Amino acid sequence: MVGAERESITQRAFTGGLPADAFIDATLADIHRRYLGLDDGEVADYIPILAEADPSRFGLSLIESAGAVHEIGDADLEFSIQSISKAFVFALVCQARSTELVHERVGVNNTGLPFNSVMAIELNDGKPLNSMVNAGAIATTALMPGATSAEKWENIRSGLSRFAGRQLRLDGRVYQSEMEANQRNKALARLLESYGRIITDPLDTVDVYTRQCSLLVTAHDLAVMGATLADGGINPLTRSRVVSAEVARDTLALLASCGMYENSGEWLFEIGLPAKSGVSGGIVAIAPGKGALGTYSPRLDSAGNSVRGQRACFHISRALGMNLFASNAVERPWKG
Ligand code: GLU
């Protein structure tokens, strides 16, 4: 986002709550209309089945911490969650084991390198650096409680379903397609094993990781899952606690620095929200205490982030006062 377009959208401050419902609905409708015609970017094809996605699809969902739902376009269209699962599996593992354990075994620093980088591991003595890149995500999945891979998988599926507030199901075709094309993830897992960073069977762990990436969600689901993190770990629609407020906070901190591949710094600078994207075209962006956005549009930029999704998040974040770093001066009547 540069120049005139960047400044053409009025920046509302984060201070205070979200605007009135009618304003939010009108803003989403305007943004959907505005970016529907944008056809920059390419649909991912390194997992063969992802290339079948219809590039015209575009859905936006905003769910407030208090439970209000605002949606437009293809907000109920299912797609595989892919890398966005990493954020929620991180939270589940921190909750079930401990944040310290994940911090020590995996790390919480940005790699500055592509999501499937082997070099990042080699440069850091086998430490995968964070749970949002593939190596770190595989190491995090390995830490999920469960005596067998089947138990770990069930814990992940049910945990992500609690975040979404509905039973999420696996897309068997996506899983098969990815299993036939994920030699690199298998190599990453073997490399982690060689460094003693995972002690479970590496190929079984990649199998569970691939399943978690093949769960089907909608933009609406992503917004509910994100709004759970925005609401101190309580799902705003089911009102049940999924993770503690501390885990929700730690997850958001990690997403702020590592959620958007190599463009995480640029994203934070422009949009000012912790977020996670995935190669199938989804983005979840979270405004703590306010709510979350879920977007779906499958055309990606070179870093792997949805082109329309990023534009929409930029615009919504500005127009609705979701950028964490945008403040208004407080009234100081007591200062005379
Ligand atoms: N399952 C994908 C992979 O491991 C996820 C990639 C992504 O969404 O960034 O390559």
Side-chain angles (χ1 to χ4, degrees):
M1 208 46 88
V2 284
E5 186 175 2
R6 188 167 197 270
E7 297 312 329
S8 68
I9 304 158
T10 306
Q11 172 73 70
R12 186 187 281 256
F14 189 77
T15 324
L18 284 168
D21 287 350
F23 184 83
I24 296 179
D25 290 333
T27 303
L28 290 191
D30 173 39
I31 289 167
H32 191 267
R33 202 177 315 112
R34 187 183 288 225
Y35 297 119
L36 193 58
L38 180 67
D39 61 4
D40 294 351
E42 302 294 333
V43 175
D45 59 4
Y46 78 99
I47 300 171
I49 201 168
L50 295 185
E52 292 176 16
D54 176 354
S56 69
R57 298 306 198 118
F58 185 29
L60 302 175
S61 175
L62 188 161
I63 298 192
E64 299 187 43
S65 302
V69 177
H70 307 272
E71 292 177 342
I72 185 118
D74 297 310
D76 287 324
L77 183 76
E78 287 191 317
F79 55 93
S80 56
I81 187 169
Q82 297 298 337
S83 259
I84 301 172
S85 65
K86 295 168 178 169
F88 300 95
V89 171
F90 168 84
L92 293 171
V93 172
C94 289
Q95 183 68 41
R97 307 287 298 271
S98 76
T99 304
E100 290 68 35
L101 179 75
V102 184
H103 197 302
E104 177 208 314
R105 297 271 180 90
V106 183
V108 293
N109 275 321
N110 196 311
T111 65
L113 290 165
F115 71 100
N116 56 3
S117 172
V118 170
M119 208 157 68
I121 307 178
E122 289 292 311
L123 290 174
N124 291 284
D125 199 25
K127 191 160 180 172
L129 286 184
N130 74 70
S131 302
M132 298 305 122
V133 291
N134 283 12
I138 292 166
T140 307
T141 295
L143 293 173
M144 193 72 194
T148 61
S149 293
E151 271 181 40
K152 284 183 195 292
W153 159 235
E154 183 45 33
N155 286 335
I156 289 175
R157 197 196 58 75
S158 61
L160 262 56
S161 296
R162 285 199 302 281
F163 269 112
R166 72 174 182 106
Q167 288 302 312
L168 299 178
R169 63 188 176 91
L170 178 94
D171 185 326
R173 289 181 68 222
V174 171
Y175 165 72
Q176 283 304 336
S177 180
E178 185 162 350
M179 283 305 283
E180 284 158 20
N182 68 355
Q183 292 78 9
R184 197 176 177 94
N185 286 342
K186 290 171 185 153
L188 289 172
R190 285 269 189 226
L191 189 58
L192 292 172
E193 181 193 30
S194 78
Y195 277 107
R197 293 281 173 184
I198 56 174
I199 50 172
T200 53
D201 180 86
L203 298 187
D204 284 354
T205 307
V206 171
D207 183 81
V208 177
Y209 164 78
T210 307
R211 285 173 190 273
Q212 88 185 36
C213 291
S214 307
L215 280 170
L216 288 171
V217 291
T218 64
H220 169 90
D221 292 327
L222 292 181
V224 179
M225 296 169 89
T228 303
L229 295 175
D231 196 26
I234 293 181
N235 183 310
L237 302 188
T238 65
R239 304 304 306 158
S240 61
R241 177 168 292 287
V242 184
V243 291
S244 68
E246 292 73 23
V247 164
R249 175 203 61 202
D250 293 343
T251 306
L252 295 181
L254 183 63
L255 294 188
S257 60
C258 309
M260 300 298 282
Y261 304 111
E262 309 90 282
N263 281 357
S264 297
E266 206 164 311
W267 165 277
L268 200 59
F269 189 84
E270 293 291 0
I271 291 153
L273 290 173
K276 184 75 199 89
S277 70
V279 288
S280 49
I283 298 179
V284 60
I286 300 117
K290 292 191 170 182
L293 286 168
T295 70
Y296 174 67
S297 174
R299 284 191 207 267
L300 312 178
D301 67 11
S302 56
N305 296 315
S306 165
V307 174
R308 287 196 295 209
Q310 287 179 91
R311 289 294 183 94
C313 287
F314 175 84
H315 199 142
I316 295 169
S317 156
R318 281 215 157 198
L320 303 186
M322 294 171 83
N323 185 323
L324 287 174
F325 306 109
S327 58
N328 273 338
V330 293
E331 298 288 326
R332 290 177 174 81
W334 64 92
K335 296 275 187 191

